[in-house]
Amino acid sequence: MIDIKHVSYRYDEESPEAVKDVTLHISAGSFTAILGRNGSGKSTLAKLVNGLFQPTAGTILVDGLDTADDKNTWEIRKNAGMIFQNPDNQLVATVVRDDVAFGLENLGVPTEEMLPRVENALQHVGMEEHMDRAPHLLSGGQKQRVAIAGVLAMEPKAIICDEATAMLDPKGRKEVFETLRRLNREKGITVLWITHFMEEAAQCDNVYVMHDGSVVMQGTPMDIFRDPEALRPYRLDAPQMASLAASLRRAGVQLPENILTCEDMVREVKKLCC
Ligand SMILES: Nc1ncnc2c1ncn2[C@@H]1O[C@H](COP(=O)(O)OP(=O)(O)O)[C@@H](O)[C@H]1O
Ligand SMILES: [Mg+2]
């Protein structure tokens, strides 16, 4: 779905490359995390995928379309919708339903087709009851779900979320992450989940770790988080339970390496005790 080959990007001549020789492959239907500290190049990469910036070197294909060709920009943005960090910057209308319809109007979708698509999109994110409300009265998590509905109404193949939960409280974070997980499972939408939260990356299918503009690690969450020491150079910590399991293993407790979440820990500790 998204093929990034040896891509570099520099904002201006004086600054170092913000993205350095990045190669990654996002297959259709996958749910992939890009994990990295602040300044590691994640947002720059997202904007390159979206065609907002052109690579200084290398190529990016989104569903086979080269982002360097201006003729493809519109199709790429329709195929790969983006959700950003600040929900308030993404909502444009005074009523939820108009907000979700906004992108469809730009696409020139006939009016009679618009309402069912808007309703359907809002149902998919569990926001249909709020259709006639003003977006500014919603919680942060609800606003992000409306923004997701706006992207969903365009029937994209992929959704790129750039720190979509970073400004939300834990409840909002959970509801937004789970909405995307469900859209991925039920509708097969490819999700690129950009985050600095380890706990979220641990729930994705694949993880790429970025540091100083480069991809420095890639694999399943288990590959990435098995050894918390390996993440140190990139100033990242493993999820709490993975770290605890590693400490217990060092202290001689016979725990397996497949522990990332509380549920995993409870399951394995029960096995030890019973
Ligand atoms: N508009 C810009 N102009 C110049 N440098 C920028 C700009 N935006 C980001 N950068 C630099 O590019 C690097 C990567 O930033 P960014 O892609 O925003 O990282 P992340 O999203 O991982 O926090 C950083 O060193 C940052 O300072
Ligand atoms: Mg960023």
Side-chain angles (χ1 to χ4, degrees), residues 106-192:
N106 286 344
L107 277 185
V109 172
T111 316
E112 63 276 13
E113 207 185 298
M114 225 181 289
L115 186 62
R117 271 170 79 165
V118 167
E119 285 181 352
N120 191 266
L122 282 165
Q123 272 165 13
H124 274 295
V125 301
M127 287 296 291
E128 66 277 21
E129 285 163 24
H130 301 276
M131 192 138 73
D132 297 312
R133 289 184 72 192
H136 73 269
L137 297 176
L138 304 174
S139 72
Q142 288 174 325
K143 284 180 193 166
Q144 282 300 55
R145 280 150 65 200
V146 171
I148 295 165
V151 165
L152 210 51
M154 319 256 284
E155 299 174 347
K157 294 178 183 165
I159 302 183
I160 301 161
C161 301
D162 186 2
E163 308 255 16
T165 61
M167 295 182 70
L168 307 180
D169 61 16
K171 180 172 172 284
R173 223 179 273 164
K174 190 163 188 266
E175 74 193 36
V176 168
F177 185 81
E178 282 177 1
T179 300
L180 265 313
R181 256 301 13 170
R182 195 162 39 72
L183 290 172
N184 168 255
R185 287 210 179 98
E186 292 174 4
K187 288 174 77 73
I189 294 178
T190 309
V191 176
L192 190 54

Coordinates of all heavy atoms in Angstrom, one line a residue, residues 106-192:
N106 N -16.0 18.6 -1.5 CA -14.8 18.9 -2.3 C -14.6 17.9 -3.4 O -14.1 18.2 -4.5 CB -13.6 19.0 -1.5 CG -13.5 20.2 -0.7 OD1 -14.2 21.2 -0.9 ND2 -12.7 20.2 0.4
L107 N -15.1 16.7 -3.1 CA -14.9 15.6 -4.1 C -16.0 15.7 -5.2 O -16.0 15.0 -6.2 CB -15.1 14.2 -3.5 CG -13.9 13.6 -2.8 CD1 -14.3 12.2 -2.3 CD2 -12.7 13.5 -3.7
G108 N -17.0 16.5 -4.9 CA -18.2 16.7 -5.9 C -19.1 15.5 -5.8 O -19.8 15.2 -6.8
V109 N -19.3 14.9 -4.6 CA -20.2 13.8 -4.5 C -21.7 14.4 -4.5 O -21.9 15.4 -3.9 CB -20.0 13.1 -3.1 CG1 -21.1 12.1 -2.8 CG2 -18.6 12.4 -3.2
P110 N -22.6 13.8 -5.3 CA -24.0 14.3 -5.4 C -24.6 14.4 -4.0 O -24.4 13.5 -3.2 CB -24.7 13.4 -6.3 CG -23.7 12.5 -6.9 CD -22.4 12.6 -6.1
T111 N -25.5 15.4 -3.7 CA -26.1 15.6 -2.4 C -26.8 14.4 -1.9 O -26.7 14.0 -0.7 CB -27.1 16.8 -2.5 OG1 -26.5 17.8 -3.3 CG2 -27.4 17.3 -1.1
E112 N -27.5 13.7 -2.8 CA -28.3 12.5 -2.3 C -27.4 11.4 -1.8 O -27.8 10.6 -1.0 CB -29.4 12.1 -3.3 CG -28.8 11.6 -4.6 CD -28.5 12.7 -5.6 OE1 -28.5 13.9 -5.2 OE2 -28.3 12.3 -6.8
E113 N -26.2 11.3 -2.4 CA -25.3 10.3 -2.0 C -24.6 10.7 -0.7 O -24.0 9.8 0.0 CB -24.3 10.1 -3.1 CG -23.7 8.7 -3.2 CD -22.6 8.7 -4.2 OE1 -23.0 8.9 -5.4 OE2 -21.5 8.4 -3.9
M114 N -24.5 12.0 -0.4 CA -23.7 12.5 0.7 C -24.2 12.0 2.0 O -23.5 11.5 2.9 CB -23.7 14.0 0.6 CG -22.3 14.5 0.8 SD -22.2 16.3 0.8 CE -22.4 16.8 -0.8
L115 N -25.5 12.2 2.3 CA -26.1 11.9 3.6 C -25.8 10.5 4.0 O -25.3 10.2 5.1 CB -27.6 12.3 3.7 CG -28.1 12.2 5.1 CD1 -27.4 13.1 6.1 CD2 -29.6 12.4 5.1
P116 N -26.2 9.5 3.2 CA -25.9 8.1 3.6 C -24.4 7.9 3.9 O -24.1 7.1 4.8 CB -26.3 7.2 2.4 CG -26.9 8.1 1.4 CD -26.9 9.5 1.9
R117 N -23.5 8.5 3.1 CA -22.1 8.3 3.4 C -21.7 8.9 4.7 O -20.9 8.4 5.4 CB -21.3 8.8 2.2 CG -21.1 7.8 1.1 CD -20.5 8.3 -0.1 NE -19.0 8.5 -0.1 CZ -18.3 8.7 -1.1 NH1 -18.8 8.7 -2.3 NH2 -17.0 8.9 -1.0
V118 N -22.2 10.1 5.0 CA -21.9 10.8 6.3 C -22.4 9.9 7.4 O -21.7 9.7 8.4 CB -22.5 12.2 6.3 CG1 -22.5 12.8 7.7 CG2 -21.8 13.1 5.3
E119 N -23.7 9.4 7.3 CA -24.3 8.7 8.4 C -23.5 7.4 8.6 O -23.2 7.0 9.8 CB -25.7 8.3 8.1 CG -26.6 9.5 8.3 CD -28.1 9.2 8.0 OE1 -28.4 8.1 7.5 OE2 -28.9 10.1 8.2
N120 N -23.1 6.7 7.5 CA -22.4 5.5 7.6 C -21.0 5.7 8.3 O -20.6 4.9 9.2 CB -22.2 5.0 6.2 CG -21.7 3.6 6.2 OD1 -20.5 3.3 6.1 ND2 -22.6 2.6 6.3
A121 N -20.3 6.8 7.9 CA -19.0 7.1 8.5 C -19.2 7.3 10.0 O -18.3 6.8 10.8 CB -18.4 8.2 7.8
L122 N -20.2 8.1 10.4 CA -20.4 8.4 11.8 C -20.7 7.2 12.6 O -20.3 7.0 13.7 CB -21.4 9.5 12.0 CG -20.9 10.9 11.6 CD1 -22.1 11.9 11.5 CD2 -20.0 11.4 12.7
Q123 N -21.5 6.3 12.0 CA -21.8 5.0 12.6 C -20.5 4.2 12.9 O -20.3 3.6 14.0 CB -22.7 4.1 11.8 CG -24.2 4.4 12.1 CD -25.1 3.9 11.0 OE1 -24.7 3.1 10.2 NE2 -26.3 4.3 11.0
H124 N -19.6 4.2 11.9 CA -18.4 3.4 12.0 C -17.5 3.9 13.2 O -16.7 3.1 13.7 CB -17.6 3.4 10.7 CG -18.0 2.3 9.8 ND1 -17.9 1.0 10.1 CD2 -18.6 2.4 8.6 CE1 -18.3 0.3 9.1 NE2 -18.8 1.1 8.2
V125 N -17.6 5.2 13.5 CA -16.8 5.7 14.7 C -17.6 5.9 15.9 O -17.2 6.4 16.9 CB -16.1 7.0 14.3 CG1 -15.2 6.8 13.1 CG2 -17.1 8.1 14.1
G126 N -18.9 5.4 15.9 CA -19.7 5.5 17.1 C -20.2 6.9 17.4 O -20.4 7.2 18.6
M127 N -20.3 7.7 16.4 CA -20.7 9.1 16.7 C -22.0 9.6 16.1 O -22.3 10.8 16.0 CB -19.6 10.1 16.2 CG -18.3 10.0 17.1 SD -18.6 10.6 18.8 CE -18.9 12.4 18.5
E128 N -22.8 8.6 15.6 CA -24.0 8.9 14.9 C -25.0 9.7 15.7 O -25.8 10.6 15.2 CB -24.7 7.7 14.2 CG -25.3 6.7 15.2 CD -24.2 5.7 15.7 OE1 -23.0 6.0 15.7 OE2 -24.6 4.6 16.2
E129 N -25.0 9.5 17.0 CA -25.9 10.2 17.9 C -25.6 11.7 18.0 O -26.4 12.5 18.5 CB -25.9 9.6 19.3 CG -26.7 8.3 19.4 CD -26.3 7.6 20.7 OE1 -25.9 8.2 21.6 OE2 -26.4 6.3 20.6
H130 N -24.4 12.1 17.6 CA -23.9 13.4 17.8 C -24.0 14.2 16.5 O -23.4 15.3 16.4 CB -22.5 13.5 18.4 CG -22.4 12.7 19.7 ND1 -22.6 13.3 20.9 CD2 -22.0 11.5 20.0 CE1 -22.5 12.5 21.9 NE2 -22.1 11.3 21.3
M131 N -24.6 13.7 15.5 CA -24.6 14.2 14.2 C -25.0 15.7 14.1 O -24.4 16.5 13.3 CB -25.6 13.4 13.3 CG -25.5 13.6 11.9 SD -25.6 12.1 11.0 CE -27.4 11.7 11.2
D132 N -26.0 16.1 14.9 CA -26.5 17.5 14.9 C -25.9 18.4 15.9 O -26.3 19.5 16.1 CB -28.0 17.5 15.0 CG -28.6 16.7 13.8 OD1 -28.2 17.0 12.7 OD2 -29.4 15.8 14.0
R133 N -24.8 17.9 16.6 CA -24.2 18.7 17.7 C -23.1 19.6 17.1 O -22.6 19.4 16.0 CB -23.6 17.9 18.8 CG -24.7 17.2 19.6 CD -24.1 16.5 20.8 NE -23.5 17.3 21.8 CZ -22.7 16.9 22.8 NH1 -22.4 15.6 22.8 NH2 -22.3 17.7 23.7
A134 N -22.7 20.6 17.9 CA -21.6 21.5 17.5 C -20.3 20.8 17.9 O -20.2 20.4 19.1 CB -21.7 22.8 18.2
P135 N -19.3 20.7 17.0 CA -18.1 20.0 17.4 C -17.4 20.5 18.6 O -16.8 19.7 19.3 CB -17.2 20.2 16.1 CG -18.2 20.5 15.0 CD -19.3 21.2 15.6
H136 N -17.5 21.8 18.8 CA -16.7 22.4 20.0 C -17.3 21.9 21.3 O -16.7 22.1 22.4 CB -16.6 23.9 19.9 CG -17.9 24.6 20.2 ND1 -18.8 25.0 19.2 CD2 -18.4 25.0 21.4 CE1 -19.8 25.6 19.8 NE2 -19.6 25.6 21.1
L137 N -18.5 21.3 21.3 CA -19.1 20.8 22.6 C -18.6 19.4 22.9 O -18.9 18.8 23.9 CB -20.6 20.8 22.5 CG -21.2 22.2 22.4 CD1 -22.7 22.2 22.2 CD2 -20.8 23.1 23.6
L138 N -17.9 18.8 21.9 CA -17.5 17.4 22.1 C -16.2 17.3 22.9 O -15.4 18.2 22.9 CB -17.3 16.7 20.7 CG -18.5 16.7 19.8 CD1 -18.1 16.2 18.4 CD2 -19.7 16.0 20.4
S139 N -15.9 16.1 23.5 CA -14.6 15.8 24.1 C -13.5 15.7 23.0 O -13.9 15.5 21.8 CB -14.7 14.5 24.9 OG -14.7 13.4 24.0
G140 N -12.3 15.7 23.4 CA -11.2 15.6 22.5 C -11.2 14.3 21.7 O -11.0 14.2 20.5
G141 N -11.5 13.2 22.4 CA -11.6 11.9 21.8 C -12.8 11.8 20.8 O -12.7 11.3 19.7
Q142 N -13.9 12.5 21.1 CA -15.1 12.5 20.2 C -14.7 13.4 19.0 O -15.1 13.0 17.8 CB -16.3 13.1 20.9 CG -16.9 12.1 21.9 CD -18.0 12.8 22.8 OE1 -18.0 14.0 23.0 NE2 -19.0 12.0 23.1
K143 N -14.0 14.5 19.2 CA -13.6 15.3 18.0 C -12.7 14.5 17.1 O -12.9 14.6 15.9 CB -12.8 16.5 18.5 CG -13.7 17.6 19.1 CD -12.8 18.8 19.6 CE -13.6 19.7 20.5 NZ -12.7 20.6 21.2
Q144 N -11.8 13.7 17.6 CA -10.9 12.9 16.8 C -11.7 11.9 16.0 O -11.4 11.6 14.9 CB -9.8 12.3 17.6 CG -8.6 13.1 18.0 CD -7.9 13.8 16.8 OE1 -8.5 14.5 16.0 NE2 -6.6 13.6 16.8
R145 N -12.7 11.3 16.7 CA -13.6 10.3 16.0 C -14.4 11.0 14.8 O -14.6 10.4 13.8 CB -14.5 9.6 17.0 CG -13.7 8.5 17.7 CD -14.2 8.3 19.1 NE -15.6 7.7 19.1 CZ -16.4 7.8 20.1 NH1 -16.0 8.4 21.2 NH2 -17.6 7.3 20.0
V146 N -14.8 12.3 15.0 CA -15.5 13.0 13.9 C -14.5 13.2 12.8 O -14.8 13.0 11.6 CB -16.1 14.3 14.4 CG1 -16.6 15.2 13.3 CG2 -17.2 14.1 15.4
A147 N -13.2 13.6 13.2 CA -12.2 13.8 12.1 C -12.0 12.5 11.4 O -11.8 12.5 10.1 CB -10.9 14.3 12.8
I148 N -12.0 11.4 12.1 CA -11.8 10.0 11.4 C -13.0 9.8 10.5 O -12.8 9.3 9.4 CB -11.6 8.9 12.5 CG1 -10.3 9.1 13.3 CG2 -11.6 7.5 11.8 CD1 -10.3 8.3 14.5
A149 N -14.2 10.1 10.9 CA -15.4 9.9 10.1 C -15.3 10.8 8.8 O -15.6 10.3 7.7 CB -16.7 10.3 10.9
G150 N -14.7 12.0 8.9 CA -14.5 12.8 7.8 C -13.6 12.2 6.7 O -13.9 12.2 5.5
V151 N -12.6 11.5 7.2 CA -11.6 10.8 6.3 C -12.3 9.5 5.8 O -12.3 9.2 4.6 CB -10.4 10.4 7.1 CG1 -9.5 9.4 6.4 CG2 -9.5 11.7 7.4
L152 N -13.0 8.9 6.7 CA -13.7 7.6 6.3 C -14.8 7.8 5.2 O -14.9 6.9 4.3 CB -14.4 7.1 7.6 CG -14.5 5.6 7.7 CD1 -13.2 4.9 7.5 CD2 -15.1 5.3 9.1
A153 N -15.5 8.9 5.2 CA -16.5 9.2 4.3 C -15.9 9.2 2.8 O -16.6 9.0 1.9 CB -17.2 10.5 4.6
M154 N -14.6 9.6 2.7 CA -14.0 9.6 1.4 C -13.6 8.2 0.9 O -13.0 8.1 -0.1 CB -12.7 10.5 1.5 CG -12.9 11.7 2.3 SD -13.0 13.2 1.4 CE -11.3 13.4 0.8
E155 N -13.9 7.2 1.7 CA -13.6 5.8 1.4 C -12.1 5.6 1.1 O -11.8 5.1 0.0 CB -14.5 5.3 0.3 CG -16.0 5.4 0.8 CD -17.0 5.1 -0.3 OE1 -16.6 5.0 -1.5 OE2 -18.2 4.9 0.0
P156 N -11.3 5.9 2.0 CA -9.8 5.7 1.8 C -9.4 4.3 1.9 O -10.1 3.5 2.6 CB -9.2 6.6 2.9 CG -10.2 6.4 4.0 CD -11.5 6.3 3.4
K157 N -8.2 4.0 1.3 CA -7.7 2.6 1.5 C -6.8 2.6 2.7 O -6.6 1.6 3.3 CB -6.8 2.2 0.3 CG -7.7 2.1 -1.0 CD -6.9 1.8 -2.2 CE -7.8 1.7 -3.4 NZ -7.0 1.7 -4.6
A158 N -6.2 3.8 3.0 CA -5.3 3.9 4.2 C -5.6 5.1 5.0 O -6.1 6.1 4.5 CB -3.9 3.9 3.7
I159 N -5.3 5.1 6.3 CA -5.4 6.3 7.1 C -4.1 6.4 7.9 O -3.5 5.4 8.5 CB -6.5 6.2 8.2 CG1 -7.9 5.9 7.5 CG2 -6.6 7.4 9.0 CD1 -9.1 5.9 8.4
I160 N -3.5 7.6 7.8 CA -2.2 7.9 8.5 C -2.5 8.8 9.7 O -3.1 9.9 9.5 CB -1.3 8.6 7.5 CG1 -1.0 7.8 6.3 CG2 0.0 9.0 8.2 CD1 -0.5 8.6 5.1
C161 N -2.2 8.3 10.9 CA -2.5 9.1 12.1 C -1.2 9.6 12.7 O -0.4 8.8 13.1 CB -3.2 8.2 13.1 SG -4.8 7.5 12.4
D162 N -1.0 10.9 12.7 CA 0.2 11.4 13.2 C 0.0 11.9 14.6 O -0.5 13.0 14.9 CB 0.7 12.6 12.3 CG 2.1 13.1 12.7 OD1 2.6 12.5 13.7 OD2 2.5 14.1 12.1
E163 N 0.3 11.1 15.6 CA 0.2 11.4 17.0 C -1.3 11.8 17.3 O -1.5 12.8 18.0 CB 1.1 12.6 17.4 CG 2.5 12.3 17.1 CD 3.4 11.9 18.3 OE1 2.9 11.6 19.3 OE2 4.6 12.0 18.1
A164 N -2.2 11.0 16.8 CA -3.7 11.4 16.9 C -4.2 11.3 18.3 O -5.3 11.9 18.5 CB -4.5 10.4 16.0
T165 N -3.4 10.7 19.2 CA -3.9 10.7 20.6 C -3.1 11.5 21.5 O -3.4 11.5 22.7 CB -3.9 9.2 21.1 OG1 -2.5 8.8 21.1 CG2 -4.7 8.3 20.3
A166 N -2.1 12.2 21.0 CA -1.1 12.9 21.9 C -1.8 14.0 22.8 O -1.3 14.3 23.8 CB 0.0 13.4 21.1
M167 N -2.9 14.6 22.3 CA -3.5 15.7 23.1 C -4.7 15.2 23.9 O -5.4 16.0 24.5 CB -3.9 16.8 22.2 CG -2.7 17.4 21.5 SD -3.1 18.8 20.4 CE -3.6 20.0 21.6
L168 N -4.9 13.9 23.9 CA -6.1 13.4 24.6 C -5.8 12.8 26.0 O -4.7 12.4 26.3 CB -6.8 12.3 23.7 CG -7.0 12.6 22.2 CD1 -7.6 11.5 21.5 CD2 -7.9 13.9 22.1
D169 N -6.9 12.7 26.8 CA -6.8 12.1 28.1 C -6.8 10.5 27.8 O -7.1 10.1 26.7 CB -7.9 12.5 29.0 CG -9.3 12.2 28.5 OD1 -9.4 11.4 27.6 OD2 -10.2 12.8 29.0
P170 N -6.5 9.8 28.9 CA -6.4 8.3 28.6 C -7.6 7.7 28.0 O -7.6 6.8 27.2 CB -6.1 7.8 30.1 CG -5.4 8.9 30.8 CD -6.1 10.1 30.2
K171 N -8.8 8.2 28.4 CA -10.1 7.6 27.9 C -10.2 7.9 26.4 O -10.5 7.1 25.6 CB -11.2 8.2 28.7 CG -12.6 7.7 28.2 CD -13.7 8.2 29.1 CE -15.1 7.9 28.6 NZ -15.5 8.8 27.5
G172 N -9.9 9.2 26.0 CA -10.0 9.6 24.6 C -8.9 8.9 23.8 O -9.2 8.4 22.7
R173 N -7.8 8.6 24.4 CA -6.7 7.9 23.7 C -7.1 6.5 23.3 O -6.9 6.1 22.2 CB -5.5 7.9 24.7 CG -4.2 8.2 24.1 CD -3.1 8.1 25.1 NE -2.9 9.3 25.8 CZ -2.2 9.5 26.9 NH1 -1.7 8.4 27.5 NH2 -2.1 10.6 27.5
K174 N -7.7 5.9 24.3 CA -8.2 4.5 24.1 C -9.3 4.4 23.1 O -9.3 3.6 22.2 CB -8.7 4.0 25.5 CG -9.0 2.5 25.5 CD -9.1 2.1 27.0 CE -9.1 0.6 27.1 NZ -10.4 -0.1 27.1
E175 N -10.2 5.4 23.2 CA -11.4 5.3 22.2 C -10.9 5.5 20.8 O -11.4 4.9 19.9 CB -12.6 6.2 22.7 CG -12.4 7.6 22.5 CD -13.5 8.5 23.2 OE1 -13.9 8.1 24.3 OE2 -13.9 9.5 22.7
V176 N -9.9 6.5 20.6 CA -9.5 6.7 19.3 C -8.6 5.6 18.7 O -8.8 5.1 17.6 CB -8.7 8.1 19.2 CG1 -7.9 8.2 17.9 CG2 -9.6 9.2 19.5
F177 N -7.7 5.0 19.5 CA -6.9 3.9 19.1 C -7.8 2.7 18.8 O -7.6 2.1 17.7 CB -5.9 3.5 20.2 CG -5.0 2.4 19.7 CD1 -3.9 2.7 19.0 CD2 -5.2 1.1 20.1 CE1 -3.0 1.8 18.5 CE2 -4.3 0.1 19.6 CZ -3.2 0.4 18.9
E178 N -8.8 2.4 19.6 CA -9.6 1.3 19.4 C -10.5 1.4 18.2 O -10.8 0.5 17.5 CB -10.4 0.9 20.6 CG -9.5 0.2 21.6 CD -10.1 -0.1 23.0 OE1 -11.3 0.2 23.2 OE2 -9.4 -0.7 23.8
T179 N -10.9 2.7 17.9 CA -11.7 3.0 16.7 C -10.9 2.6 15.4 O -11.4 1.9 14.5 CB -12.1 4.5 16.6 OG1 -12.9 4.8 17.7 CG2 -12.9 4.8 15.3
L180 N -9.6 3.0 15.4 CA -8.8 2.7 14.2 C -8.5 1.2 14.1 O -8.5 0.6 13.1 CB -7.5 3.5 14.3 CG -7.4 4.8 13.6 CD1 -7.9 4.7 12.2 CD2 -8.1 5.9 14.3
R181 N -8.3 0.6 15.3 CA -8.0 -0.9 15.3 C -9.2 -1.6 14.7 O -9.0 -2.5 13.9 CB -7.8 -1.4 16.7 CG -6.5 -1.7 17.3 CD -5.5 -2.7 16.8 NE -5.5 -3.4 15.6 CZ -4.4 -4.1 15.2 NH1 -3.3 -4.2 15.8 NH2 -4.5 -4.7 14.0
R182 N -10.4 -1.2 15.1 CA -11.6 -1.8 14.6 C -11.8 -1.6 13.1 O -12.1 -2.5 12.3 CB -12.8 -1.3 15.4 CG -14.1 -2.2 15.2 CD -15.1 -1.9 16.3 NE -15.1 -0.5 16.7 CZ -15.7 0.5 15.9 NH1 -16.2 0.2 14.7 NH2 -15.7 1.7 16.3
L183 N -11.5 -0.4 12.6 CA -11.7 -0.1 11.2 C -10.7 -0.9 10.4 O -11.0 -1.3 9.3 CB -11.4 1.4 10.9 CG -12.5 2.3 11.4 CD1 -12.1 3.8 11.3 CD2 -13.8 2.1 10.7
N184 N -9.5 -1.1 11.0 CA -8.5 -2.0 10.3 C -9.0 -3.4 10.2 O -9.0 -4.1 9.2 CB -7.2 -1.9 11.1 CG -6.2 -2.9 10.7 OD1 -6.0 -3.9 11.3 ND2 -5.6 -2.7 9.5
R185 N -9.5 -4.0 11.3 CA -10.0 -5.4 11.4 C -11.2 -5.6 10.5 O -11.3 -6.5 9.8 CB -10.3 -5.8 12.8 CG -9.1 -5.9 13.6 CD -9.2 -7.0 14.7 NE -8.0 -7.1 15.5 CZ -7.7 -6.4 16.6 NH1 -8.7 -5.7 17.2 NH2 -6.6 -6.5 17.2
E186 N -12.2 -4.6 10.6 CA -13.5 -4.9 10.0 C -13.6 -4.4 8.6 O -14.3 -5.0 7.8 CB -14.6 -4.2 10.8 CG -14.8 -4.9 12.2 CD -15.8 -4.1 13.1 OE1 -16.4 -3.1 12.6 OE2 -15.9 -4.5 14.2
K187 N -12.9 -3.4 8.2 CA -13.0 -2.8 6.9 C -11.7 -3.0 6.1 O -11.6 -2.7 4.9 CB -13.3 -1.3 6.9 CG -14.8 -1.1 7.3 CD -15.1 0.4 7.5 CE -15.3 1.1 6.2 NZ -16.6 0.8 5.5
G188 N -10.7 -3.6 6.8 CA -9.4 -3.8 6.1 C -8.6 -2.6 5.7 O -7.7 -2.6 4.8
I189 N -8.9 -1.5 6.4 CA -8.2 -0.2 6.1 C -6.8 -0.3 6.6 O -6.6 -0.7 7.8 CB -9.0 1.0 6.7 CG1 -10.3 1.2 5.9 CG2 -8.2 2.3 6.6 CD1 -11.2 2.3 6.4
T190 N -5.8 0.1 5.8 CA -4.4 0.1 6.2 C -4.2 1.3 7.1 O -4.7 2.4 6.8 CB -3.5 0.3 5.0 OG1 -3.9 -0.7 4.0 CG2 -2.1 0.1 5.3
V191 N -3.6 1.0 8.3 CA -3.4 2.1 9.2 C -1.9 2.3 9.5 O -1.2 1.3 9.7 CB -4.1 1.9 10.6 CG1 -3.8 3.0 11.6 CG2 -5.6 1.8 10.3
L192 N -1.4 3.5 9.3 CA -0.1 3.9 9.7 C -0.2 4.7 11.0 O -0.8 5.8 10.9 CB 0.6 4.7 8.6 CG 2.1 5.0 8.7 CD1 2.9 3.7 8.9 CD2 2.6 5.7 7.5

